[in-house]
Amino acid sequence: MSAGDFESRWLAPDVNAVWTRFLHVTHRLEHHIDRRLQEQHGITHTQYEIMVRLADSDERAMRMSELADRIVTAKSAVTYQINKLSEMGLVERRKCGRDNRGIWVHLTDAGAERLERAAPCILSLVRELFLDSLNCDQAAELDKLLGTWSDNLDDHDRNPIGHPDHRGPEHAPELS
């Protein structure tokens, strides 16, 4: 494939096949993780990710808006998940002392315990369904590709399409 394959309005069949396979694999992986977490720990993968972000933050707390940014989802989706986690006693909301509009979410002790019990489940699935199927060279190549995609997304976040500073397809990296 070359960069030119990506320039037409429609994806070339071989490029479309790669994109479709990528989506299929990532959705299946997410489905397996989500199902196992729900069966064994009563939480979704998104809820697990929220608790991980809270556990990794100062005082196990974050503002709702920052949490939405960290897990890359809409604020309304975070609100829904926080409501569910709050009902289970795994997180609690607190008003921001400096800003009455701001809401802080805190991971409770029960939430930290649930997270600690669920972590081995995630780790074993990541190994079983993802890492164990890669050799060292493949893992290094995948890491390189993920870095390229991440850099491209960072650039897009700074200069979205339609923004005057967007660089356009002529500045896309050459694929080999």
Side-chain angles (χ1 to χ4, degrees):
M1 285 184 268
S2 69
D5 293 333
F6 295 100
E7 292 178 9
S8 69
R9 181 170 181 220
W10 302 106
L11 297 177
D14 58 336
V15 175
N16 187 57
V18 170
W19 174 244
T20 301
R21 178 178 261 181
F22 171 80
L23 290 177
H24 185 72
V25 167
T26 56
H27 291 313
R28 286 179 64 203
L29 184 60
E30 177 68 26
H31 173 75
H32 281 283
I33 291 170
D34 201 55
R35 189 178 70 215
R36 183 85 55 94
L37 278 172
Q38 288 183 50
E39 289 171 356
Q40 294 183 2
H41 301 284
I43 57 174
T44 66
H45 191 207
T46 300
Q47 291 165 345
Y48 175 86
E49 288 298 319
I50 288 170
M51 293 193 302
V52 165
R53 298 300 178 267
L54 292 172
D56 289 345
S57 64
D58 292 338
E59 300 179 36
R60 297 190 327 202
M62 293 177 90
R63 286 182 72 121
M64 289 278 285
S65 57
E66 183 182 0
L67 191 52
D69 290 343
R70 292 273 176 95
I71 64 166
V72 192
T73 194
K75 289 180 177 117
S76 61
V78 170
T79 299
Y80 174 81
Q81 295 299 336
I82 294 301
N83 287 341
K84 295 294 185 187
L85 288 167
S86 182
E87 290 170 9
M88 292 186 271
L90 303 177
V91 301
E92 60 186 24
R93 285 188 181 92
R94 297 182 187 157
K95 287 204 180 265
C96 179
R98 298 179 308 257
D99 177 3
N100 286 333
R101 295 174 298 161
I103 301 291
W104 284 84
V105 180
H106 290 259
L107 183 66
T108 64
D109 290 341
E113 289 172 17
R114 178 84 59 102
L115 180 61
E116 191 170 319
R117 286 194 314 269
C121 174
I122 290 283
L123 295 174
S124 69
L125 277 172
V126 167
R127 285 185 182 104
E128 175 188 340
L129 301 175
F130 186 69
L131 295 174
D132 289 349
S133 62
L134 301 175
N135 65 38
C136 291
D137 291 339
Q138 290 170 320
E141 184 62 27
L142 180 58
D143 184 51
K144 185 177 173 182
L145 288 169
L146 292 170
T148 299
W149 290 331
S150 182
D151 291 347
N152 187 50
L153 289 167
D154 290 345
D155 183 51
H156 177 61
D157 289 346
R158 286 187 297 274
N159 300 302
I161 294 173
H163 189 276
D165 293 334
H166 179 70
R167 297 185 319 173
E170 65 278 4
H171 294 285
E174 185 71 27
L175 299 177
S176 53

